[in-house]
Amino acid sequence: MKKVTISTLAKMKQQGERISVITAYDASFAKLFDEQGIDVMLIGDSLGMVLMGENSTLPVTVEQMAYHTKSVKNGAQRAFVVADMPFMSYATAEQTYANAAQLMAAGAEMVKMEGGLWLVEAIKGLAERGVPVCGHLGLTPQSVHKFGGFKVQGREQSAADEIVAQALALEQAGIQLLVLECIPTELGERISQTLSIPVIGIGAGPHTDGQVLVMHDMFGISANYMPKFSKNYLAETGDIRKAVSLYIEEVKNGRFPSEQHSFS
């Protein structure tokens, strides 16, 4: 199967083909996901919660991210590989470039950063240096204490308008992919239609260009809790490979997420 690149994802958006994304943390699952035809694997700092049992993503280090990125890359042949830059690993330009370089050297094909307008210069700097960037707006888990918990964002008109403005600014700065987390369905659709780059939703409704799930949520084995936007595909199929295949199929044909997995 042909290797997925950022150009592949851009073409998928243009042609209206939905993008399937899943988190991955090791070579064995990466190989399994690849064989089922997943488009993108995200090495998420969610590993802090689902692998380490922490209450947030904040304790995760760049070294841990690099370790798991290398592991995933060793198992992934076709899928596009994206790695999260963890909390406070991109607070300064010097940190940003050094830590992004470490993740790219470990096998990432793109790095993901959480935040709005304050990231513009960092994104420009990375893009100029050949590092592809994925943005992340809405509920940004690294800001959980600022939000006062894991809460839906953008329900008020002013807040929704601000997220749209941030998305446009990040695209102009050079991001080539955007993740939207825990926002109303209408806002997810609005941003997906506004941006020219692919938009991936997680709790952002069914009208984004693609969907991402945390693999542990998809298999119903998360250490903490099952978010509203997740679906236990393993319970439905009774087989890991069939679960992944069904997830991809339902993303592609628009059956996932349904209204019960979305926010108004």
Side-chain angles (χ1 to χ4, degrees):
M1 300 177 74
K2 191 174 181 181
K3 177 76 175 85
V4 177
T5 67
I6 191 62
S7 298
T8 310
L9 301 179
K11 187 176 181 180
M12 290 173 73
K13 173 168 178 130
Q14 292 166 5
Q15 296 179 341
E17 180 183 351
R18 296 179 190 273
I19 299 164
S20 60
V21 188
I22 195 169
T23 65
Y25 311 98
D26 63 43
S28 296
F29 272 109
K31 184 174 185 294
L32 186 152
F33 297 153
D34 221 41
E35 290 170 347
Q36 300 309 307
I38 203 81
D39 297 315
V40 180
M41 290 186 220
L42 169 65
I43 301 91
D45 57 3
S46 50
L47 68 87
M49 300 177 75
V50 298
L51 297 188
M52 299 162 59
E54 302 284 359
N55 292 323
S56 74
T57 63
L58 303 189
V60 177
T61 67
V62 175
E63 289 71 27
Q64 289 167 335
M65 289 302 307
Y67 173 88
H68 287 280
T69 297
K70 182 173 177 58
S71 298
V72 168
K73 184 61 176 177
N74 286 342
Q77 299 298 316
R78 173 186 176 271
F80 189 65
V81 176
V82 182
D84 271 341
M85 292 189 66
F87 179 63
M88 290 300 286
S89 67
Y90 44 101
T92 68
E94 184 178 2
Q95 282 181 316
T96 301
Y97 300 150
N99 292 328
Q102 187 174 348
L103 294 179
M104 295 294 285
E109 295 163 325
M110 172 178 273
V111 297
K112 183 167 78 64
M113 308 164 75
E114 297 182 10
L117 299 180
W118 69 276
L119 284 178
V120 164
E121 292 307 314
I123 292 165
K124 287 180 179 178
L126 287 172
E128 288 168 354
R129 289 159 177 80
V131 178
V133 181
C134 174
H136 186 150
L137 292 171
L139 172 60
T140 47
Q142 292 176 14
S143 301
V144 61
H145 294 311
K146 180 180 177 182
F147 292 145
F150 295 96
K151 299 178 180 179
V152 178
Q153 303 297 305
R155 277 184 162 146
E156 298 78 21
Q157 187 63 50
S158 59
D161 291 344
E162 183 179 351
I163 293 174
V164 172
Q166 290 174 344
L168 285 166
L170 295 186
E171 180 180 38
Q172 188 172 8
I175 65 167
Q176 293 174 278
L177 202 64
L178 177 66
V179 170
L180 295 176
E181 182 169 355
C182 285
I183 61 171
T185 292
E186 183 179 346
L187 180 56
E189 182 176 14
R190 177 183 170 191
I191 294 173
S192 300
Q193 292 178 349
T194 299
L195 300 190
S196 61
I197 61 171
V199 175
I200 309 299
I202 178 165
H207 305 300
T208 53
D209 303 305
Q211 299 292 330
V212 56
L213 279 183
V214 173
M215 59 167 279
H216 292 69
D217 291 344
M218 194 180 75
F219 298 144
I221 56 172
S222 290
N224 294 307
Y225 74 105
M226 177 68 75
K228 169 184 166 68
F229 53 72
S230 293
K231 180 177 178 179
N232 186 341
Y233 281 92
L234 183 58
E236 189 167 327
T237 61
D239 178 88
I240 289 177
R241 287 174 176 80
K242 289 179 180 177
V244 177
S245 180
L246 181 60
Y247 165 63
I248 295 171
E249 179 186 334
E250 291 198 341
V251 168
K252 297 291 185 182
N253 63 28
R255 288 207 303 268
F256 179 81
S258 65
E259 186 176 338
Q260 73 181 88
H261 306 111
S262 307
F263 300 101
S264 57

